[in-house]
Amino acid sequence: MSMPKFGALLSPYEDVLEQVEFFGKSKFDFVEFSLEEPMVTPEFLLKNMQKIRKTMEKYNLFATVHGPINTELGSNFEDIRTDWIKFTKKLIRISSMFYVKKYNLHTRYQSVGEIGNDLEKIFLKNFVSSMNEITEFSKKYGIKIVTENGNRAGFKDAKNIKYIVDRSKDLGFCIDLGHAFVLGGMKSIEIFFKLLGNRIEHVHMHDNHGNFDEHLPIGKGKIDYPHVVEMLKKIGYDGTITFEIFTSKEDAAKSREKIKKLWEK
C-alpha cells in the first residue's frame, strides 16, 4: 500500500516562515497551521500571505489547519455558538488561500468543565448542528472538515465522537493518538480504531507516558507505535499524518523517519 502524507504542526510561538522553510527543506509533504494566539491570527496570515505561499510553492507543500482550541461550537448559549460558527467560516475562507486540504476542529465545552448524562447530550446535539453547517460551507472551498478526540475538556471517548461523526454529514475523524492514550492506554486507541476506523481522515501523532498530554517525539513515551502502524495499515490508511511534537522541529523530522521505517516493514 502507498505511504501516507507526512506533515508537521507549526508552533504559534515561533516564526511561522522559518518553520515552513525548515519542514520544506526536510521534505515533509505538508505543514499544519495552528491558528492560535499570540502569532497565528487571521490578520497575521493575511499580512504574510504572499511570503508564506511563496515558501510553500518553493517546496511543493500543501497544508492542513488546526483550528483554535477554545472553539465553543457545542455551547448552549446560542449567541456564542453562532459567533464561533461565523468565525470558523472566516478562518476557512482565509485557509483556502494557503493550499489547505483539511481543517481540524476540537470538540470542546470548556465553559462548563466535565459533564455527562443529559447535559452532555445537549452539547453533543449542538456540536452536530454546528458541524453540519460548517461542513456544508467548506465544500465550496474544497476543504475537508475533521474533528478530533479531546484531551481534557471536550468529547474524549470514542462513543461520543462516533455519535457526532455519524450524525454530521461529510465530517471526518482525526484520531489524536496521544489524547486517546492518556484516556486509557493502548486499549483506548484500539477502541477508537474499532468504532471509527472507517472514518479516520487525519492523524495526529506524538508520544506520552499515559499521564498527561506531553507531545513527545515518537519513541520517547509509552505508546506502542509499531502496533499503531499495524492498525493504520490494516484499515488501508494512506491519508495525512501530522507530527505534533512540541520539543523541537528536529524531533518532528526524526519522528517522521521512525514512522516511515515502521511503515516500510
Side-chain angles (χ1 to χ4, degrees):
M1 63 181 296
S2 59
M3 187 78 69
K5 299 295 185 183
F6 296 113
L9 184 70
L10 304 179
S11 170
Y13 304 103
E14 299 178 22
D15 186 281
V16 170
L17 277 170
E18 287 183 6
Q19 291 179 84
V20 174
E21 182 80 26
F22 175 87
F23 291 119
K25 283 183 178 178
S26 301
K27 301 187 184 303
F28 276 75
D29 299 300
F30 69 95
V31 291
E32 183 158 322
F33 291 100
S34 180
L35 302 186
E36 300 284 355
E37 298 177 285
M39 290 182 66
V40 191
T41 62
E43 293 74 23
F44 169 85
L45 290 175
L46 291 172
K47 180 180 178 180
N48 293 277
M49 180 172 63
Q50 295 306 321
K51 291 179 181 178
I52 294 172
R53 282 170 55 98
K54 186 176 180 180
T55 305
M56 292 177 70
E57 290 164 359
K58 177 181 175 183
Y59 295 107
N60 196 29
L61 293 166
F62 66 92
T64 57
V65 164
H66 192 296
I69 196 170
N70 60 334
T71 306
E72 293 280 5
L73 292 166
S75 176
N76 206 35
F77 287 105
E78 189 63 11
D79 287 347
I80 291 175
R81 189 181 73 85
T82 54
D83 279 350
W84 269 109
I85 290 173
K86 181 180 178 181
F87 185 56
T88 299
K89 288 178 178 179
K90 176 182 177 179
L91 293 178
I92 289 169
R93 281 195 300 270
I94 294 172
S95 296
S96 70
M97 304 173 190
F98 294 87
Y99 310 112
V100 168
K101 294 185 177 182
K102 296 176 184 176
Y103 189 110
N104 177 54
L105 286 161
H106 268 260
T107 57
R108 172 186 159 97
Y109 46 76
Q110 182 68 46
S111 57
V112 295
E114 296 293 332
I115 60 176
N117 303 320
D118 291 340
L119 284 173
E120 191 169 67
K121 291 176 184 177
I122 292 171
F123 279 81
L124 281 165
K125 180 176 178 291
N126 291 342
F127 195 84
V128 166
S129 177
S130 298
M131 288 299 96
N132 279 321
E133 184 172 343
I134 290 167
T135 54
E136 185 63 30
F137 174 83
S138 71
K139 286 180 183 178
K140 58 184 170 183
Y141 296 99
I143 294 175
K144 180 70 179 184
I145 304 298
V146 297
T147 190
E148 74 174 273
N149 49 304
N151 174 27
R152 296 183 297 274
F155 300 115
K156 299 177 288 189
D157 62 81
K159 172 178 62 69
N160 281 338
I161 298 294
K162 180 173 171 53
Y163 178 97
I164 292 167
V165 172
D166 284 349
R167 289 162 177 79
S168 304
K169 187 179 179 182
D170 300 318
L171 179 66
F173 174 48
C174 167
I175 182 168
D176 189 299
L177 295 159
H179 293 175
F181 191 72
V182 170
L183 180 64
M186 288 305 300
K187 182 178 180 181
S188 175
I189 292 175
E190 290 168 356
I191 291 171
F192 274 104
F193 271 89
K194 181 180 179 180
L195 294 182
L196 288 150
N198 65 329
R199 300 296 297 272
I200 295 175
E201 305 233 15
H202 191 43
V203 178
H204 283 166
M205 282 191 176
H206 46 103
D207 215 337
N208 64 63
H209 291 87
N211 299 313
F212 63 97
D213 196 22
E214 297 172 87
H215 286 268
L216 298 173
I218 306 303
K220 296 298 183 180
K222 293 184 176 180
I223 299 177
D224 184 352
Y225 269 101
H227 184 36
V228 167
V229 170
E230 285 178 6
M231 289 189 287
L232 285 167
K233 291 173 76 172
K234 187 175 180 179
I235 64 172
Y237 188 76
D238 61 357
T240 47
I241 295 176
T242 296
F243 292 92
E244 287 192 326
I245 312 299
F246 287 3
T247 50
S248 71
K249 300 186 293 294
E250 292 76 14
D251 283 343
K254 291 176 184 176
S255 293
R256 177 197 57 184
E257 294 309 305
K258 288 182 179 180
I259 296 300
K260 272 189 173 182
K261 288 179 181 178
L262 289 173
W263 209 276
E264 291 167 349
K265 284 186 177 180

